[in-house]
Structures are given as structure tokens and as C-alpha cells.
Amino acid sequence: MPGREDEMHPVLKAFVCGSISGTCSTLLFQPLDLLKTRLQTLQPAVGGSGRAGMVAVLFRVVRTESLLGLWKGVSPVSGSSNPDFKMTHTSKPAVYTRYESGRFGYGSVYGALKSIYQTEGARGMFSGLTATLLRDAPFSGIYLMFYTQTKKLTPQVQLDPVLMPVVNFGCGIFAGVLASLATQPADVIKTHMQLSPEKYRRTSQAIAFIYKDFGLVGFFRGGVPRALRRTLMAAMAWTVYEQMMEKMGLKS
């Protein structure tokens, strides 16, 4: 008598694999997303630069909000049918960005959602949408391009199957670093627009403000935690996904 695994439809198997890999990677690396948001909105004199700034913010969050504060703003919808879809749809709306920032004193994501809707209407929840699209669409394309091309360069047939997860993870890291660097300016613009929609009605206004106050380096603030999160998250998601697909007999 066939087991439950044999009875499962291939599409359902792919959905389960993608959901598990996406959810695990999102939850594991959420603290890096929070640190990225906090770094992008700090004043130059407070935030510093580079790794020291990230470490300072990390200890400040733990000291003032507890260790669990690093998972503030985690999205309840973190899984999807596959990592490709997941990378394009991990964007958090203004309600999550504001909750992560710690600026507004929201007690919960629901409280943030309610406050934004009451004061700004539905439009407030979609602030920074243009910058978000300019960030996410290129990221997915750049990531997939470098990931697939790097995998093609590896001698798949000659490698020990035990080493394949390591190869997949390495390809994911390489692709993620390049994609994160290319899309970091759009991410900074998105964060500023979501936190101050009344100040930035247009993307060009946010760009002018960031350049005036921080210079070109301002467009890469929070780049270290974001690159770490997006790179490790995507690499882990792809690695777990492909291994689970192979175990379920959906990959040759």
C-alpha cells in the first residue's frame, strides 16, 4: 500500500517544500531585517557606519526591547509555493517597516495597521510602493541569473551528492551579494518613504533628501545586515527547497 508521500500531488509537494524552506529562512534571519531598518533611519552622528553601527544597534535593541525584540515585525505570512516566488514577495508593507523602526510606539502589528489606516487611509499602507518595485523586481532577476549561471559552471555530474547542498549554498551566497548591492539604494529610499509618507510624496523627494543629508554613502546604509539577510535567506531557502524536492522524488 503506497504511503502518504506517494499519494501527494507533485504541485502540493513543491508547495510544501517552498513553504517550509521560506518560512524557516524568514524567521531565522528576521533580526537582520530589523537591524537594517534601524540603521537606515538613524542620524549620521548616532548610527556611525559599517559593522560598528550594526553591532551598536543590536545591543541597543536587546537592552531596551529584550532579545525577542529582534524579531519585531516578523511577517505572519512567510511561506510560499517556491523560493523563486518567495524572493519577489517578501516585501513588507509600511505597517511592518514602521513597527520595526521602533519610532511610533506601536504595541503590535495590528495596532500599527489600525493607526495608519485611521490617519492616512489605505494609501498609507502602500507608501514607497514604487521604490519597493524598483528593489524587488531587479533583485529576483539578478539573483536568479547569477544563481543559475554559477550552478552551470560547477561540475554537477562529477561532484559527490553529499557536497551538493554546499555547492547550492555557495552559489546562492554569490548571487545574493551581487543582487543585494545592486538594489540597496532602492531599499533605503523605500524605508524613508514608508516611515515619512507625509514628507516624501514622490520618490524623487526621498532621493534628494538622502543625498543632501547623507551623500552617496547614504544610499547604502544598512547594506551589511540586508546583504547578510537576503543572501543567507535566499541561499538557505534554495538549498532546503532543492534537497526536499530531491527527497520527495521531484528532482532528477
Side-chain angles (χ1 to χ4, degrees):
M1 181 177 179
R4 184 181 298 271
E5 181 179 319
D6 296 330
E7 298 174 356
M8 195 180 290
H9 193 277
V11 174
L12 182 57
K13 289 182 179 180
F15 178 83
V16 171
C17 293
S19 296
I20 293 175
S21 62
T23 299
C24 291
S25 59
T26 298
L27 291 175
L28 183 60
F29 301 118
Q30 167 62 18
L32 290 171
D33 189 61
L34 182 135
L35 293 177
K36 179 266 300 183
T37 299
R38 299 289 176 96
L39 281 169
Q40 287 179 347
T41 55
L42 284 175
Q43 295 302 316
V46 178
S49 60
R51 190 172 300 177
M54 183 176 73
V55 173
V57 172
L58 170 65
F59 282 110
R60 184 182 308 163
V61 172
V62 174
R63 185 175 64 252
T64 59
E65 304 174 39
S66 80
L67 185 63
L68 290 178
L70 293 171
W71 277 267
K72 190 174 187 178
V74 67
S75 172
V77 184
S78 53
S80 66
S81 58
N82 58 65
D84 184 9
F85 183 92
K86 176 93 179 76
M87 282 188 294
T88 312
H89 293 76
T90 50
S91 307
K92 295 179 180 179
V95 57
Y96 289 106
T97 301
R98 295 192 195 183
Y99 186 60
E100 279 184 338
S101 72
R103 283 184 172 189
F104 301 89
Y106 297 131
S108 64
V109 174
Y110 174 75
L113 177 64
K114 183 178 179 181
S115 176
I116 293 174
Y117 184 78
Q118 289 177 341
T119 57
E120 303 170 36
R123 180 179 178 180
M125 288 178 276
F126 292 93
S127 58
L129 179 60
T130 301
T132 300
L133 293 175
L134 289 174
R135 177 197 67 176
D136 286 351
F139 182 92
S140 298
I142 295 172
Y143 180 90
L144 288 174
M145 176 183 70
F146 282 107
Y147 181 80
T148 54
Q149 291 302 313
T150 304
K151 282 201 67 177
K152 287 180 180 178
L153 295 176
T154 59
Q156 304 283 328
V157 180
Q158 302 174 15
L159 283 176
D160 189 327
V162 178
L163 297 177
M164 285 310 300
V166 178
V167 173
N168 293 336
F169 195 78
C171 293
I173 288 181
F174 178 74
V177 168
L178 295 179
S180 294
L181 289 175
T183 58
Q184 180 63 19
D187 187 73
V188 175
I189 296 168
K190 182 269 308 180
T191 298
H192 280 272
M193 294 189 72
Q194 289 183 336
L195 294 182
S196 305
E198 74 289 343
K199 186 176 182 179
Y200 310 118
R201 293 291 181 178
R202 297 188 302 274
T203 304
S204 58
Q205 292 177 318
I207 294 174
F209 169 81
I210 295 170
Y211 182 75
K212 178 173 178 283
D213 280 29
F214 306 104
L216 287 175
V217 71
F219 292 99
F220 294 91
R221 297 184 78 191
V224 173
R226 177 173 178 262
L228 285 173
R229 176 181 178 269
R230 293 302 299 260
T231 300
L232 294 175
M233 191 171 109
M236 177 181 172
W238 272 111
T239 302
V240 174
Y241 176 76
E242 293 195 1
Q243 291 303 304
M244 289 186 68
M245 290 285 283
E246 184 176 348
K247 294 296 183 182
M248 289 189 172
L250 295 180
K251 187 179 177 184
S252 57

